[in-house]
Amino acid sequence: MENVDVVVVGAGYAGLAAAVGLVEGGATVRVLEASDRVGGRVWTRDEGGVLIDHGGQWAGPAQTALLRFADRFGCRRFPTYDDGQHLELWPGSAPVAYASGALPRVHDSDGYQALIEQLDTMAADIDPERPGATPRIAAWDACTLQDWLISAGGSPDANRRLRLVVQGLWACEPRDVSLFHVLFYVAANGGLDPLLGTSGGAQDSRFIDGADAPARAAAVYLGDAVRLGAPVTAIDWDREGATVRTARSAVRARRVVVTGTPPAQARLTFSPQLPLPRRRWIARSPMGDVAKLHLTYAEPFWRSRGLSGQLTTYDGSPVAYTFDNSPADGSCGVLAAFIYGDDYRAWSTQPEEARHKAVLDVITVLGEEAAAPMDYHELRWPDQLWAEGAYAALPSPGTWHEHGAGWRDPVGPLHWAGTETAGVGHGYIDGAIRSGERAGAQVLTALSGEAGQ
Ligand SMILES: Cc1cc2nc3c(=O)[nH]c(=O)nc-3n(C[C@H](O)[C@H](O)[C@H](O)COP(=O)(O)OP(=O)(O)OC[C@H]3O[C@@H](n4cnc5c(N)ncnc54)[C@H](O)[C@@H]3O)c2cc1C
């Protein structure tokens, strides 16, 4: 049996950041990754000469852990295309055009803004590194965002706008997520405006060589420490350490850093079983439902029409949002489209041709050229074995309040990382990196304490 100081389960951004910190702290490390690539929920593929980010992709100026990690490995970014008019689609009316920065004063955008301000105000009471200390956690975690929306008394259009925000940020419906989790997430990421913003916000920039470039560079830096195609099946642990098993091997370690989505962790067999709060936390944290689609064109034709490519639909179309996802040099046009929640579940069960048509029908509002893409790609995240959904887990109502100790408290030699265990940056690549750095530092402290005994 191989012996190391630390096994890291998963080579997404959290696992890689943990491993980099551990190696630099002098620990011997083995990273076991189930799939045949690094990056996890960040997945860049060369699709016929065009780099397509099928998973996480954007970076914002507040996401300093991600920016630092990327800079360290020399991974360059470029601004997200944000020029020209954005479009909104509402039932029974012509598309509404507006410029970046302010919503059009139609369909009760003022009422919607008032809802956003209320959520931001409540979120200001939460310290994202100590969510359990929130004075109103019991009340806020007892209801869904849908319950709150009903009590807030917004107009149907304001509520419809907010539903799309919920889809866009959490890939679910307002009834699927606890009010407390929404407020925690908003607090963890600096407020709703920064989360929703393009220039200057969370969608500010993209990576020239794909969003997985820093992950690939980190894996090269770690060299032989990273083993791909090695799904961990079981972790036997005791006070002295743990034995981490795959189908073909076992590695003994003094400490383990476990990453991965809660549904992926639910497949691991822990012996002895984990304490109740952690088991409940994992079991009560499902993922969101989202498909990310890409359509490629000879050129970004919408730009010459004065359009940004950013489209938001409230008209019953399955597509919620589109973005200009063309490469940095604009050498071809790429549109990214997102489908979430109820719309995802209805759309994803249709035959391929019908799915494709449903998408093309709506995006032709950007120009008739949209109807004939050169290439079309769908990534349906709920079907990805090692994630089972995206963007991040959604602790169901009551989970934070009842099982808060299960969030990220270490269990014996087991430490938890992953964006789901992040305070600041929770849900994002930035949070994943912070969580890995935190877990790595915790482990180094524990190892040095043991060495001193
Ligand atoms: C469509 C989409 C869009 C997104 N957009 C953005 C965005 O624009 N900006 C942003 O910051 N974030 C975005 N995100 C979220 C971001 O991608 C995640 O927050 C982040 O990548 C999570 O990293 P992680 O390391 O915590 O988890 P993961 O990336 O899930 O890494 C966990 C790793 O563990 C591996 N694993 C699982 N089970 C096992 C096992 N049994 N044995 C071994 N290995 C295992 C998995 O294969 C995976 O590689 C998006 C995500 C998606 C899917």
Side-chain angles (χ1 to χ4, degrees):
M1 189 187 306
E2 188 183 5
N3 265 282
V4 292
D5 291 325
V6 190
V7 166
V8 176
V9 180
Y13 272 93
L16 292 166
V20 167
L22 286 162
V23 165
E24 291 179 348
T28 53
V29 177
R30 168 69 67 204
V31 183
L32 298 174
E33 165 57 44
S35 72
D36 59 0
R37 62 180 179 84
V38 299
R41 278 170 270 175
V42 176
W43 188 3
T44 313
R45 274 200 318 227
D46 184 331
E47 307 282 11
V50 185
L51 288 181
I52 297 287
D53 274 315
H54 291 284
Q57 63 170 49
W58 283 294
Q63 297 173 344
T64 50
L66 168 58
L67 302 184
R68 211 181 340 102
F69 196 76
D71 285 351
R72 159 193 182 147
F73 291 111
C75 300
R76 289 174 306 134
R77 292 171 294 120
F78 66 102
T80 303
Y81 190 79
D82 197 26
D83 298 340
Q85 300 275 294
H86 308 334
L87 295 181
E88 276 187 356
L89 289 187
W90 289 86
S93 60
V96 182
Y98 63 104
S100 206
L103 285 176
R105 308 282 307 264
V106 295
H107 292 285
D108 202 15
S109 58
D110 288 344
Y112 156 80
Q113 208 57 53
L115 294 173
I116 293 282
E117 278 164 25
Q118 285 184 59
L119 290 170
D120 271 333
T121 303
M122 291 189 284
D125 279 353
I126 299 177
D127 173 351
E129 300 299 341
R130 294 173 59 246
T134 307
R136 299 195 58 197
I137 186 170
W140 288 345
D141 208 28
C143 68
T144 66
L145 192 69
Q146 178 74 21
D147 297 329
W148 177 78
L149 267 179
I150 291 166
S151 68
S155 70
D157 277 354
N159 288 353
R160 198 180 291 200
R161 286 183 179 280
L162 203 83
R163 175 200 174 218
L164 217 71
V165 165
V166 172
Q167 287 198 336
L169 290 178
W170 296 289
C172 69
E173 300 294 336
R175 63 173 181 275
D176 297 327
V177 62
S178 114
L179 171 63
F180 179 75
H181 184 66
V182 164
L183 298 175
F184 159 73
Y185 196 104
V186 169
N189 290 288
L192 276 159
D193 277 347
L195 275 173
L196 295 168
T198 303
S199 304
Q203 285 65 237
D204 184 67
S205 64
R206 294 164 50 210
F207 289 91
I208 291 177
D209 296 320
D212 73 353
R216 284 185 282 111
V220 169
Y221 175 78
L222 292 167
D224 291 344
V226 180
R227 188 171 296 162
L228 301 179
V232 171
T233 54
I235 301 179
D236 305 337
W237 58 278
D238 52 48
R239 284 171 49 132
E240 311 299 315
T243 303
V244 181
R245 301 184 189 282
T246 71
R248 282 177 299 182
S249 65
V251 187
R252 181 74 193 168
R254 293 161 68 196
R255 298 270 159 171
V256 182
V257 176
V258 183
T259 76
T261 63
Q265 290 184 23
R267 278 197 241 120
L268 301 175
T269 304
F270 290 91
S271 303
Q273 69 178 352
L274 297 173
L276 187 66
R278 183 66 194 165
R279 275 187 281 138
R280 291 288 182 261
W281 186 275
I282 291 170
R284 293 177 58 160
S285 297
M287 303 297 288
D289 290 333
V290 53
K292 188 174 180 187
L293 321 176
H294 284 93
L295 302 102
T296 42
Y297 302 92
E299 56 186 44
F301 58 85
W302 51 91
R303 293 185 184 179
S304 56
R305 297 210 164 109
L307 296 176
S308 64
Q310 291 176 42
L311 170 68
T312 310
T313 80
Y314 301 97
D315 67 344
S317 148
V319 172
Y321 297 99
T322 68
F323 267 91
D324 182 328
N325 238 16
S326 308
D329 61 6
S331 53
C332 66
V334 180
L335 280 177
F338 295 88
I339 300 181
Y340 304 102
D342 286 346
D343 298 314
Y344 174 86
R345 290 180 283 274
W347 169 87
S348 61
T349 54
Q350 294 173 25
E352 186 178 350
E353 204 176 317
R355 293 201 306 274
H356 195 155
K357 181 174 179 311
V359 174
L360 295 182
D361 280 353
V362 59
I363 63 169
T364 43
V365 69
L366 297 170
E368 68 276 10
E369 299 94 320
M374 298 188 305
D375 219 346
Y376 170 85
H377 302 278
E378 289 177 6
L379 209 301
R380 285 175 277 150
W381 279 91
D383 296 344
Q384 293 304 304
L385 182 62
W386 301 112
E388 293 197 37
Y391 312 122
L394 305 163
S396 54
T399 306
W400 274 110
H401 177 52
E402 295 160 22
H403 306 293
W407 177 36
R408 64 182 186 189
D409 288 357
V411 174
L414 311 178
H415 298 252
W416 314 103
T419 197
E420 280 80 7
T421 70
V424 173
H426 187 102
Y428 286 78
I429 307 167
D430 184 70
I433 292 169
R434 288 176 196 272
S435 77
E437 291 174 347
R438 174 203 25 90
Q442 264 175 3
V443 168
L444 287 174
T445 304
L447 292 179
S448 66
E450 286 165 16
Q453 282 167 9

